[in-house]
Amino acid sequence: MPLSALFDGYAAPDAAERASILIVDDLPEKLLVFETILADLDQHLVIARSGSEALREVLRQQFAVILMDVNMPGIDGLETARLIRGYRRSAHTPIIFVTAYADELQTAQGYSLGAVDYILSPVIPDVLRSKVRVFVDLFLMQQRLRQQALERIAIARAEAAQRAAEEGTRRSIFLAQAGRELADSLDADVAMRKLLALLVPRFAPRALLWLRDAGHGHERVLRCDAPSAQEVPLFAEGREQMLSEVLYNATRNALEPVVPTSGPASADEASPRALLHRETASGAVLPLVAGERLLGGLLLAEPHQPPDWPTLEELAGRAAIAFENARLYGALQAEIVERRQAEAELLEASRRKDEFLAMLSHELRNPLAPIRNAVEVMRSLADGRDPRLDQAVALTDRQVKHLTRLVDELLDVARISQGKIVLKTETLDLRDIVRQGVEPVQSLLDAQHQHLRIDLPPQPARVRGDAARLIQVVTNLAHNASKYTDAGGRIELALTGGPDGFELVVRDNGRGISSSLLPHVFDLFEQGPRGLDRNQGGLGVGLTLVQRLVQLHHGSVEARSDGPGRGSEFLVRLPAAKAVEVAEPQEPREPHLQASVPAHAAAPARANDRCRVLVVDDNRDAADSMAVFLELAGFETVVALDGPRALEQAAAQPPQVVLLDIGLPGLDGYEVARRLRTVPGAAQCLLIALTGYGQQDDRRRAHEAGFDVHLVKPADPDAVVELIQEWRHREISARHPETAAR
């Protein structure tokens, strides 16, 4: 059969399809002849001038046919053909030998190496062209058939994958819908009916569901049959009359082996997770398991064959979660009801206590006024006539004041508990509060011969609060310290603090507080043990009042003691009053840094005389201290604590000099420097790097990022000022040479 018959029924190769032809010959003139003859084929011609080049080309690509000279220096054509046949890709590539002389031995050897033809030189163009065209067309046909086969395989795989994806999508949609329906209600009865409606008749004509605990503390069983004339499934409840005992027993017997036992389980016993499904004579059984707890089971009578076990098992797992959530929700609801009842009882008891305290305080106030008036009348009538009478009047006056203070404390505690106290806040100096708070206790201290030491800071301690209430806090703490300190003891009040807040410490060397009592010293009516000789009693509300008043001022109070006989101390912490905002926006600075700036440095200079310096450092103390020093040197400074803020400042008010820390959080100094060089107005600024790293590589990175100067922390502020002034002088000299000359 002629070779052309192989191509019957196949379309001619597309013009866009091109095959590669390898021409191997060491003579340039022969290569030119081959190229000229084969140019009409419009294929890709690859030239190799030796056997080695031919082998390299064969490794790179696949050829339709190889034209090879037999006699070549180095590796001849026959050896090259043998090596080509050793590669898997070119094992069957057609090889046509071109030679001036071919004897029978050489021809036999060539054919044994896989040659398909011999052409004697000089070649006949039409013969060579027709023979090469046959192999080119054959190669293109094979490529086309191979591509079609691959396309068919790809189509088949895609169709199979599509079918699997569609099935998976349908399953996912069904399970997602089932999960939503089961999770919509935390009522087990509703969830049971929804689950059975999902199963019947989709998976079986009849299904049975039973739960050990349906959220009501008892077992529940429900059956569902496929609808006949009706459009909705038929449900039947019960276990004896309405429900088939056969179905119920089959479900129970099938699931009973997976119920956890109280004793140790043997290796043969299955755990609830071990059984996913089981087929019985009555149908397919699936357990409902949550964790290691068997909740119940499902029985599908006469399920569709083959059962879709993956979907059924996933549905059973989701149903088990829904039923467990319903059970837990029921238990939680019962617990919430119990807690609410208990909280209501506690709130009622607390309300009655507060009402009683308020009533008691008001009732006790009524007789106090006339008693106090009577004391004053007796004082005026006595007029020093009888020392015993004066002593009695003084004693009565002290006790009336003491009783008045107790009544005030009771009333204040009741008011705070009921939320009826409203603070009259203003800016106060805590030093004045401490001085005024000690005054009411001074007579008690003198009577006990106790030594009082007050340590106040020289600068004002500004807070926002109610002066009367804060004085009450100091008075109660000082009174408490005196009451529990023996005669001749020491009491100390120390006030310290800073810009964030202040701390008042009331310390004594008295009886101390036991470790068991210390956590409860601020509880209402709580008191430490007192001796029989204590004439300064109390109701145990003073410290409670202190704590609640301090909390109303957004502060805290803490009690400390090393134990009985070792004294005690109370620490009151109050937030500092916020500084008044200035009209011109600027970065906040520490008070001590602001105070160190002299008045003349704050005076504004002319714009052309001031050099604006942007200081960028995430350490506020470092940034502010450097800014203050530069301001003292006559520069205008702006502080930024991070990279983004520095870029915003540079864009709003371009600086002439930037002192930039490298180790910034987020956006580091290198990146900030690169971006600064693109900011209009700041691109030509003096950019100084401040860093704790001073190696050569660090300096190189700084230079590449655009820094002009690299300084290692801690940098000498005088050197920084001198550096800026020198740069400023050079800049002015460059702009105004006549000024520099003068």
Side-chain angles (χ1 to χ4, degrees), residues 1 124 155 199 259 265 304 310 417 456 556 584 665:
M1 181 178 65
I124 302 173
I155 292 173
L199 293 169
V259 179
H304 302 323
S417 299
L456 302 177
S556 62
E584 183 179 354

Side-chain angles (χ1 to χ4, degrees), residues 421-428 463-470 549 552-554 577:
I421 282 190
V422 179
L423 300 180
K424 300 177 181 179
T425 58
E426 57 182 328
T427 302
L428 307 170
V463 297
R464 293 284 295 174
D466 189 319
R469 294 302 180 180
L470 291 178
L549 287 176
L552 287 177
H553 284 81
H554 307 289

Side-chain angles (χ1 to χ4, degrees), residues 551-565:
Q551 290 173 348
L552 287 177
H553 284 81
H554 307 289
S556 62
V557 60
E558 177 185 357
R560 296 177 181 176
S561 178
D562 292 333

